[in-house]
Amino acid sequence: NSLFDANSGSREGDAIYTNGHGNINPGSLTVSNGSFINNSTDYSGSAIYAYYDITKIDGSTFANNFDTYVYDPILDNAGGGGVLVGAGGALGITNSTFDSNTSTDGGTLIFERDQYNANNQYTATNVSFHNNTGTALLSYNYGPLPDQLILKNTVLSGLQLCESASAILDMGGNFQYGDSTLSCGPTIPVAGSNPFGANILADNGGPTKTISLAATSEAVDAIDAAAC
């Protein structure tokens, strides 16, 4: 278990930065049971910036991280912001929580697909998004090939949930709440009330703090038992 708390900087990845140096032989990053709390950046990836890497995040919590990035159309050739950024590589997230993070210009979780890499795959399975400021899931596609953002057993609650250049593939067990535009797509069910209720980040028995679902939430027991 690792704790990354109150790191700050002016560029990418103020807690973790990796660079796989291209799409032919990408690097790899695996984070298990990590807590990323109160990290900040003036640019992009206040917690993690993974560039051209095969990145796997499991059992981790990202809370109260923020960026102060403001897009400058003259100085910047791409957007910034973001708490966890996967740029030009594959990014898979499982059993993780994103709570009360702030991104002024980007999204809490950013997937970036470039024009050179045909092997991008973005997945979020058993992930909770709660009370984040800025878009929860943001996907850029700078290449000519289509890609997919795969969601399974993922609950998103907030005013801005998805802004995706990728096709969102609903694998079931997902819920969205709070975004009147249904930005994560019409196939993902809309919860009748906040799936998390008044619950906050707490020790619920796992390796990191999580937010439990409200007892009356439609998301409770929504997962196919055969998948457990």
Side-chain angles (χ1 to χ4, degrees):
N1 298 1
S2 298
L3 171 65
F4 299 85
D5 185 10
N7 297 283
S8 64
S10 59
R11 292 300 295 176
E12 299 97 337
D14 288 322
I16 296 178
Y17 174 83
T18 64
N19 189 331
H21 296 289
N23 63 331
I24 298 177
N25 294 301
S28 63
L29 170 66
T30 299
V31 176
S32 298
N33 306 335
S35 294
F36 297 81
I37 314 294
N38 302 317
N39 299 289
S40 64
T41 181
D42 294 337
Y43 190 60
S44 184
S46 55
I48 297 176
Y49 193 99
Y51 186 64
Y52 279 109
D53 280 313
I54 298 173
T55 303
K56 298 179 181 179
I57 310 293
D58 180 66
S60 296
T61 295
F62 299 79
N64 300 308
N65 303 286
F66 66 94
D67 70 76
T68 58
Y69 171 82
V70 177
Y71 176 64
D72 187 324
I74 297 177
L75 298 178
D76 295 333
N77 61 7
V83 174
L84 170 55
V85 179
L91 176 57
I93 305 169
T94 54
N95 309 316
S96 294
T97 300
F98 293 82
D99 176 58
S100 300
N101 301 287
T102 298
S103 184
T104 56
D105 190 78
T108 298
L109 176 57
I110 298 180
F111 303 95
E112 291 185 8
R113 182 187 192 282
D114 75 356
Q115 60 183 317
Y116 306 108
N117 196 341
N119 299 314
N120 299 94
Q121 186 175 18
Y122 313 135
T123 62
T125 303
N126 305 332
V127 180
S128 297
F129 292 88
H130 173 262
N131 196 38
N132 298 289
T133 300
T135 307
L137 289 172
L138 181 61
S139 172
Y140 298 113
N141 187 346
Y142 298 114
L145 300 176
D147 55 16
Q148 289 183 326
L149 171 55
I150 302 171
L151 301 181
K152 183 176 181 180
N153 306 334
T154 290
V155 179
L156 303 104
S157 176
L159 297 178
Q160 297 172 270
L161 298 181
C162 295
E163 182 181 337
S164 181
S166 308
I168 296 178
L169 181 61
D170 176 14
M171 297 298 291
N174 302 302
F175 285 91
Q176 57 181 322
Y177 173 79
D179 187 340
S180 61
T181 65
L182 305 182
S183 60
C184 293
T187 65
I188 296 180
V190 178
S193 60
N194 189 338
F196 303 103
N199 294 332
I200 62 174
L201 202 66
D203 183 355
N204 291 301
T208 63
K209 291 184 177 181
T210 58
I211 303 176
S212 60
L213 294 169
T216 57
S217 170
E218 300 101 313
V220 174
D221 295 330
I223 299 175
D224 184 356
C228 296

